[in-house]
Amino acid sequence: MAKKKKAARPASKRATKPASKPCPTRRSPCPIACTLDVIGDRWTLLVVRDLFLGRTRFKEFTASPESIPTNILSERLQRLLQSGVIKQVPASDGSKRLAYELTDKGDALRPLIKAVTKWGLQWEEGTRIGMTPLEK
Amino acid sequence: MAKKKKAARPASKRATKPASKPCPTRRSPCPIACTLDVIGDRWTLLVVRDLFLGRTRFKEFTASPESIPTNILSERLQRLLQSGVIKQVPASDGSKRLAYELTDKGDALRPLIKAVTKWGLQWEEGTRIGMTPLEK
């Protein structure tokens, strides 16, 4: 298996090289298929959305309006950790619990999230921006 | 249930209003959640990708390198039709069979597809653009 490359981080932009090993169940080398192997389901991008909005804790993700089932959330967080999209960090409240943060690879999903948002607002009737960034 | 609105099509740009009724199992009004209700799975965007590459027929979709199972393909095509992302058209070979085309709503997925492609190429090791537009 190819070894992961260490990402250099330019001053102006985020890192540009892979931060995790390829998905073992890859269907083709197509970048769309491979991206969908990582984030192609009904829940994963909602967790990524929450992270972009400043939510970092398991209980914060479960409090989102879609009411993600806890077993699905646990599984998706594990998958996002394995694929290098998120990382575990100490909770900001000083407790022993862990929180989650986007890695550079996860942060690079911002344009994709924006494109999804824009399409939804334009084409799915009754959608609206309702969630606000979490105050810390 | 809200009635679908007929999209007007400006000369310069694509239509700007919804072309289908809201998903009945909507989890929230969030545009990301609603978009994922339409295209959030491991296969649907691959069919959309194939349509952007000029593939229009059932057998062409099954010939793609990911080898989509025919039962999944049938189900996804039905869902894409119901959500107004694709439409059925007569096959270009003059046969009685039907083909599929992107609607304006489907064509508006292009920036999303590009964002997915870009992220995959940048962050998923070993990915490459391998499929070429279909010659007709």
Side-chain angles (χ1 to χ4, degrees), chain A residues 2 6 20 28-29 38 50 64 66 71 84 95 100 117 119 121 124:
Chain A
K6 180 72 180 170
S20 67
S28 81
V38 178
D50 287 356
S64 287
E66 294 82 13
N71 60 328
S95 71
Y100 300 90
T117 305
W119 189 84
L121 284 173
E124 289 299 313

Side-chain angles (χ1 to χ4, degrees), chain A residues 2-5 7 14-23 25-46 49 65-67 83 85 104-109 111-113 115-131, chain B residues 2-5 7 14-23 25-46 49 65-67 83 85 104-109 111-113 115-131:
Chain A
K3 193 153 170 62
K4 79 175 184 182
K5 296 177 185 172
R14 296 285 178 177
T16 55
K17 277 290 150 193
S20 67
K21 52 196 173 186
C23 169
T25 56
R26 190 167 271 190
R27 293 170 288 175
S28 81
C30 170
I32 299 174
C34 293
T35 301
L36 295 177
D37 287 339
V38 178
I39 55 157
D41 72 272
R42 293 176 75 234
W43 294 105
T44 303
L45 272 189
L46 297 184
R49 172 203 66 188
E66 294 82 13
S67 303
S83 58
V85 171
D104 286 346
K105 182 177 180 178
D107 196 65
L109 286 168
L112 196 160
I113 286 273
V116 170
T117 305
K118 190 175 176 185
W119 189 84
L121 284 173
Q122 186 166 10
W123 294 98
E124 289 299 313
E125 207 164 0
T127 55
R128 56 185 163 77
I129 301 287
M131 293 178 71
Chain B
K3 194 157 170 60
K4 79 172 184 183
K5 293 178 186 173
R14 297 286 178 176
T16 55
K17 276 292 144 193
S20 67
K21 51 196 173 185
C23 170
T25 56
R26 189 167 271 191
R27 293 169 288 175
S28 81
C30 170
I32 299 173
C34 293
T35 300
L36 295 176
D37 287 339
V38 178
I39 55 157
D41 72 271
R42 292 176 76 234
W43 294 105
T44 302
L45 272 189
L46 297 185
R49 171 202 66 187
E66 294 82 13
S67 304
S83 57
V85 171
D104 287 346
K105 182 178 181 178
D107 196 64
L109 285 168
L112 197 159
I113 288 272
V116 170
T117 306
K118 189 174 176 186
W119 189 85
L121 284 174
Q122 187 167 8
W123 294 99
E124 289 299 313
E125 205 165 359
T127 55
R128 57 185 162 76
I129 302 288
M131 294 179 70

